[in-house]
Amino acid sequence: MLVFHGSHLGLVIKTGFVTGIISLTEGIAVGRTFAALKDYRVDGNKEMMAIGLMNIVGSFTSCYVTTGAFSRSAVNHNAGAKTAVSNIVMSITVMVTLLFLMPLFEYTPNLVLGAIIVTAVIGLVDVPAAINIWRTDKFDFVVMLTAFFGVLFISVQEGLAIAVGVSIFKILLQVTRPRTVVLGSIPGSDIYRNLHHYKDAVEVPGFLIISIEAPINFANSMYLNERILRWVEEYEEKENAKKHSINIQYVILDMSAVSGIDTTGVTLIKELKKAIEKKGMELVLVNPLGEIIEKLQRAAETRDFMRPENLYLTVGEAVTSLSSSMKIHPPTTYDEEAQAAVPHPN
């Protein structure tokens, strides 16, 4: 009989849930490791279904939780196994050993068993790959070290769990602090690129061009609001420090890389528009996707963005069109003195 009550039911459910996640993570990680060594592909969905079906069938006979263990997979790999038939042979061998040969292994030191596993695993340590990860992404290298030392000094489950936790933290960091860059014009072309990456890129007088390279949602809307307005203030101060320069009149948001937006993101656009208009500037959107345009149309507060002068397909088109209607800045003291110095005809 199945009993769904008792003092240990909650503990059993929690333990089963955690064990399932860890075994699934370990199985897929081990599968991808050997797939990289043998140059074949691993389908994560099929792995999940296989592990789930395997444990469902095993549960009818009180079988231990099964997954693709790293140590046994390494030994199997070094033994020269090529197909899944090796698992059948290994299962039969283990069953015969447990039933008839256990007295022969009764006094075998654990050191011998550990030496077998260590010998098999050493061949899987890829130092050049670790160096390549360090050169490519320092944060990924930290995740790799976390998984390596966690598995080495704690256990496979805890090591992988810590590494997965660090990876999730990285993802959350990328979601809450999306990449935003200021674009500049490449002279002699209609191309706009990151000012910090391209030495030839120059600022366009009267324009602040910002590219958002992530979806806009509740997790990052406040950060984007503060970041964009801070850039506006910094560029205002920079332009005010120059005596003969055109003040910023248009803030262009390049939304080509924004794949989605939620209600909080729509509110962000509305608040940015109000804040920028208070500074005597206009907010312009460039190349928003169809889903974003539909949500802006549905929101009553942002319908003004559907006007032709607020929507453009490319940054170059927006700059060219808006430059013709740009307001000329009032004459400065320098201009008045220069005009007074010019002799007037009698």
Side-chain angles (χ1 to χ4, degrees), residues 63 122 219 246 254 276 336:
C63 181
I122 285 178
I246 302 176
D254 183 5
I276 289 174
E336 294 175 354

Side-chain angles (χ1 to χ4, degrees), residues 155-198:
S155 70
V156 174
Q157 290 79 6
E158 280 77 3
L160 289 177
I162 296 172
V164 170
V166 176
S167 300
I168 293 176
F169 172 76
K170 177 186 177 182
I171 295 173
L172 292 176
L173 192 64
Q174 292 174 342
V175 170
T176 56
R177 298 178 66 87
R179 180 178 174 82
T180 52
V181 297
V182 177
L183 304 182
S185 173
I186 304 294
S189 69
D190 197 24
I191 300 174
Y192 292 80
R193 290 294 182 266
N194 187 352
L195 285 172
H196 297 288
H197 288 175
Y198 290 81

Side-chain angles (χ1 to χ4, degrees), residues 268-306:
L268 165 68
I269 302 296
K270 177 188 70 174
E271 293 176 352
L272 280 176
K273 179 177 174 60
K274 289 182 179 179
I276 289 174
E277 286 180 348
K278 286 182 181 179
K279 296 178 178 292
M281 311 172 193
E282 290 188 32
L283 181 64
V284 178
L285 303 184
V286 169
N287 197 26
L289 299 180
E291 175 191 351
I292 298 175
I293 294 179
E294 290 177 0
K295 291 185 178 180
L296 291 176
Q297 286 177 334
R298 294 171 190 164
E301 303 89 347
T302 54
R303 286 179 182 171
D304 292 341
F305 280 109
M306 300 302 104

Side-chain angles (χ1 to χ4, degrees), residues 5 26 31 33 53 58 83 105 124 139 149 152 159 189 203 232 265 314 323 345:
H5 58 81
E26 181 184 2
T33 299
L53 181 61
T83 66
F105 296 96
L124 301 176
F139 201 102
F149 288 110
L152 187 62
S189 69
E203 298 177 2
V232 172
T314 64
S323 296

Side-chain angles (χ1 to χ4, degrees), residues 56-306:
I56 289 175
V57 173
S59 66
F60 288 102
T61 58
S62 300
C63 181
Y64 187 76
V65 176
T66 53
T67 182
F70 186 78
S71 56
R72 289 190 293 274
S73 299
V75 173
N76 207 29
H77 168 73
N78 283 354
K82 300 295 183 182
T83 66
V85 177
S86 61
N87 293 327
I88 300 176
V89 175
M90 182 175 61
S91 300
I92 295 174
T93 303
V94 171
M95 181 179 67
V96 171
T97 302
L98 292 176
L99 293 176
F100 306 106
L101 303 179
M102 281 304 295
L104 299 178
F105 296 96
E106 183 176 359
Y107 300 104
T108 303
N110 290 334
L111 179 63
V112 175
L113 302 177
I116 297 174
I117 296 175
V118 171
T119 304
V121 170
I122 285 178
L124 301 176
V125 178
D126 193 348
V127 177
I131 296 174
N132 185 49
I133 293 175
W134 166 261
R135 293 173 178 172
T136 305
D137 193 325
K138 303 297 188 295
F139 201 102
D140 285 346
F141 184 77
V142 172
V143 175
M144 185 206 70
L145 288 182
T146 303
F148 179 79
F149 288 110
V151 171
L152 187 62
F153 293 108
I154 307 176
S155 70
V156 174
Q157 290 79 6
E158 280 77 3
L160 289 177
I162 296 172
V164 170
V166 176
S167 300
I168 293 176
F169 172 76
K170 177 186 177 182
I171 295 173
L172 292 176
L173 192 64
Q174 292 174 342
V175 170
T176 56
R177 298 178 66 87
R179 180 178 174 82
T180 52
V181 297
V182 177
L183 304 182
S185 173
I186 304 294
S189 69
D190 197 24
I191 300 174
Y192 292 80
R193 290 294 182 266
N194 187 352
L195 285 172
H196 297 288
H197 288 175
Y198 290 81
K199 296 180 180 180
D200 296 335
V202 295
E203 298 177 2
V204 182
F207 293 88
L208 175 59
I209 308 171
I210 301 174
S211 175
I212 303 175
E213 302 178 356
I216 303 176
N217 49 52
F218 72 96
N220 57 29
S221 59
M222 183 169 295
Y223 170 79
L224 288 174
N225 191 2
E226 295 175 355
R227 183 61 175 162
I228 293 173
L229 292 180
R230 191 184 307 124
W231 257 326
V232 172
E233 294 174 358
E234 290 176 357
Y235 272 74
E236 273 187 314
E237 294 175 358
K238 184 189 299 184
E239 297 300 328
N240 291 335
K242 301 177 183 178
K243 294 186 177 179
H244 4 272
S245 64
I246 302 176
N247 295 328
I248 297 177
Q249 298 183 21
Y250 296 98
V251 177
I252 299 178
L253 291 184
D254 183 5
M255 305 182 70
S256 303
V258 179
S259 59
I261 190 172
D262 61 2
T263 307
T264 311
V266 174
T267 305
L268 165 68
I269 302 296
K270 177 188 70 174
E271 293 176 352
L272 280 176
K273 179 177 174 60
K274 289 182 179 179
I276 289 174
E277 286 180 348
K278 286 182 181 179
K279 296 178 178 292
M281 311 172 193
E282 290 188 32
L283 181 64
V284 178
L285 303 184
V286 169
N287 197 26
L289 299 180
E291 175 191 351
I292 298 175
I293 294 179
E294 290 177 0
K295 291 185 178 180
L296 291 176
Q297 286 177 334
R298 294 171 190 164
E301 303 89 347
T302 54
R303 286 179 182 171
D304 292 341
F305 280 109
M306 300 302 104

